[in-house]
Amino acid sequence: MRDNLIITRAAELDALAVFRGFIAQTCKQLGIADDVSFQLQLACDEAATNVIQHGYEGMNPGSIMLELQPGPKKITMLLTDFGHPFEPVETEAPDVDALLNDRPTTGFGLYFIYQTMNDVSYFTDERGNHLVLTKNL
Amino acid sequence: MFRALRLKQESPKVVPEPKPLTIQEWLGDAQFPLGIRTINALPYDAKQRFYRTLVPPELLGRLGINPILWRGNGYQLELYAPEDSGKVNISLNNPEDPSDAYFVLELQDNSTNGIDLNLILLNDPFAEKFGIELDEQGTKTHWGTITRNLREEERAMRAGLAPAQVRAGMGMAREVLHQLDVFLALCARQAVSLEPLTYASAWIFERRGFAYVRGHKLMDQIHREFQPGGALRAALDGSTPFRSPEAWQTVRGRAWAIHDGILEHIGERWRDLRMIKVVGKHAAAQTFPDAKY
């Protein structure tokens, strides 16, 4: 039987390295290419950082659960937290071609995630707040 | 496609408001989530069928109680589920002293229409009872959270109990929590939340698959501060029976020291923790790796 593909850590910056290591190790075990593993780690870093910095604002921070769900032609990465829910909003994509001084300082997290993942969705239910990231293999 | 995530200003309801259902609604959608208030609105026998799933047959069998009738061998399970209430309480008490509970399970609809596990007690009827629930003036201590009976608590600790335990447990937490998962699935619910009363109970729930809505960072901090050089380790100075220098080594030892107020050394108190269990999932949180209970 496969090892548990869930890991849960406190919503602190220390968790980021643990999550990266978990993704790297799991991808290796599943025979997933290094470049995909790296993209998953990058997306996880961006998403988890957002939760750590904003999701638990004003609270005694709770958990972030990271779950990998491998499928035949894709791998799904599910990040769950129990902090304040976010609300998906439409905004213009950041202008990455702008001069450094003219670029906005925020808004790049999801941009990077969209660049590396094939599907991105977000929802809240009684199990918590879920960011679902899918990468085709 | 969304391009940004903005913090919501209000917590949304996780399922629709609980209300009595028509037969057509019952038959119509097996995925419609039921709340405690909805089940309580049913006739007694119908709600007992639902709530029967919460009590492990093994627990009843061990005490010679019929799992269908909920009575036997002098015992009687009590179901308290008023039809206008969002709370259910199932209890098994000492037939000679109804205030002496052997088993209690209480669930309640919460403010976001989720379900809270308010209370779970599993006391071995054949184990010695410790009088921690009343102080020396006979006032209720609320398991030592309001006032304390230090003499009885020390006896309980030396007998191997954790804070808030009046008797040794029945060793059936796994079975009860499994039944709770079954009940939640029956109700088309996906999670249950609770507030752990003690460090020991948080650790037990964590081991049974719960994650933290609030307090994961505090649990990590507690573990860190019990390591060599940590403030909690240094505060285990033997100044009370609950702060012995070895207490850091075990879940129970730490729990007694925390119950005794040792968290003041890191500017914290045991409060405001909240945990969640997703049906069918083990979160694999681990705030005291390789712990000895």
Side-chain angles (χ1 to χ4, degrees):
Chain A
M1 194 171 132
R2 188 190 291 142
D3 288 343
N4 192 0
L5 298 185
I6 300 179
I7 187 169
T8 300
R9 288 290 182 273
E12 292 192 275
L13 291 172
D14 294 355
L16 299 179
V18 179
F19 287 162
R20 283 195 299 270
F22 174 76
I23 294 167
Q25 190 187 0
T26 305
C27 286
K28 198 171 175 186
Q29 283 170 1
L30 295 171
I32 291 171
D34 286 349
D35 61 327
V36 173
S37 171
F38 181 73
Q39 289 173 342
L40 288 167
Q41 291 174 53
L42 180 68
C44 177
D45 246 21
E46 292 295 342
T49 301
N50 200 31
V51 172
I52 293 164
Q53 291 183 335
H54 306 295
Y56 284 106
E57 217 167 70
M59 294 169 69
N60 178 353
S63 307
I64 301 180
M65 274 169 68
L66 167 64
E67 182 175 4
L68 294 173
Q69 298 170 337
K73 289 184 179 173
K74 63 180 185 180
I75 182 163
T76 301
M77 182 164 71
L78 180 63
L79 270 158
T80 302
D81 72 270
F82 312 98
H84 306 295
F86 291 97
E87 191 171 19
V89 288
E90 302 291 336
T91 60
E92 283 182 24
D95 182 1
V96 290
D97 297 323
L99 292 171
L100 198 56
N101 285 343
D102 296 334
R103 285 185 203 171
T105 53
T106 59
F108 283 95
L110 268 172
Y111 173 79
F112 285 129
I113 291 174
Y114 274 114
Q115 294 304 302
T116 52
M117 297 291 117
N118 295 99
D119 192 46
V120 181
S121 65
Y122 181 86
F123 64 97
T124 294
D125 65 13
E126 63 179 320
R127 297 167 297 174
N129 311 311
H130 316 279
L131 184 65
V132 187
L133 309 173
T134 305
K135 178 72 183 170
N136 294 339
L137 299 175
Chain B
M1 182 185 286
F2 60 91
R3 289 284 171 192
L5 289 168
R6 184 172 59 200
L7 272 183
K8 276 191 178 173
Q9 300 305 308
E10 289 178 8
S11 292
K13 304 280 186 187
V14 292
V15 300
E17 294 291 342
K19 57 165 186 143
L21 296 179
T22 63
I23 289 293
Q24 283 73 21
E25 284 171 318
W26 276 105
L27 298 175
D29 184 0
Q31 291 173 30
F32 187 82
L34 303 181
I36 301 299
R37 184 176 292 275
T38 304
I39 299 171
N40 284 357
L42 295 170
Y44 185 87
D45 285 339
K47 64 185 157 194
Q48 197 193 19
R49 274 185 191 272
F50 268 93
Y51 292 137
R52 201 182 270 144
T53 57
L54 284 166
V55 188
E58 301 96 312
L59 183 152
L60 300 175
R62 188 186 289 186
L63 299 174
I65 299 170
N66 183 307
I68 310 302
L69 301 175
W70 274 12
R71 62 174 178 269
N73 203 22
Y75 296 113
Q76 169 79 54
L77 251 81
E78 303 289 342
L79 172 64
Y80 179 76
E83 64 181 78
D84 57 347
S85 162
K87 186 191 286 189
V88 58
N89 182 299
I90 300 169
S91 62
L92 175 68
N93 302 313
N94 181 343
E96 290 165 12
D97 176 7
S99 69
D100 184 13
Y102 298 151
F103 169 76
V104 181
L105 187 73
E106 185 172 292
L107 297 173
Q108 184 170 16
D109 294 329
N110 66 27
S111 60
T112 59
N113 296 349
I115 292 182
D116 281 357
L117 174 56
N118 283 350
L119 184 60
I120 176 172
L121 283 182
L122 282 160
N123 296 329
D124 182 352
F126 307 108
E128 181 184 0
K129 188 180 180 201
F130 296 88
I132 62 142
E133 79 277 41
L134 295 177
D135 67 16
E136 287 173 6
Q137 284 73 47
T139 309
K140 279 190 175 178
T141 64
H142 297 274
W143 295 288
T145 57
I146 307 295
T147 59
R148 296 175 64 191
N149 185 329
L150 293 175
R151 195 173 58 86
E152 283 297 290
E153 284 192 2
E154 186 177 347
R155 274 199 338 113
M157 180 182 70
R158 296 200 188 287
L161 273 61
Q165 274 192 296
V166 296
R167 284 193 165 90
M170 279 197 264
M172 299 200 79
R174 178 201 298 262
E175 287 80 358
V176 174
L177 292 171
H178 172 74
Q179 291 301 129
L180 181 56
D181 257 19
V182 172
F183 171 78
L184 292 166
L186 179 68
C187 299
R189 304 306 296 256
Q190 307 198 69
V192 65
S193 304
L194 60 83
E195 294 182 1
L197 188 61
T198 68
Y199 178 81
S201 50
W203 182 82
I204 288 170
F205 287 121
E206 181 184 303
R207 202 158 154 253
R208 298 288 169 222
F210 282 68
Y212 294 85
V213 175
R214 293 190 298 263
H216 198 146
K217 184 178 173 185
L218 175 63
M219 290 293 283
D220 281 350
Q221 187 185 5
I222 288 170
H223 181 64
R224 230 176 8 252
E225 296 292 354
F226 271 123
Q227 302 308 306
L232 296 178
R233 181 75 164 263
L236 292 173
D237 54 6
S239 56
T240 78
F242 308 101
R243 301 187 187 203
S244 71
E246 307 79 35
W248 66 276
Q249 296 172 352
T250 64
V251 173
R252 273 176 297 187
R254 291 178 179 196
W256 279 110
I258 290 167
H259 181 71
D260 199 45
I262 204 170
L263 293 185
E264 69 192 16
H265 289 273
I266 55 169
E268 293 285 356
R269 288 172 60 197
W270 185 262
R271 63 173 177 189
D272 204 27
L273 277 86
R274 189 166 174 82
M275 303 179 79
I276 184 167
K277 168 78 170 63
V278 174
V279 172
K281 274 192 188 176
H282 193 296
Q286 204 178 31
T287 59
F288 185 176
D290 305 317
K292 190 177 157 198
Y293 184 63

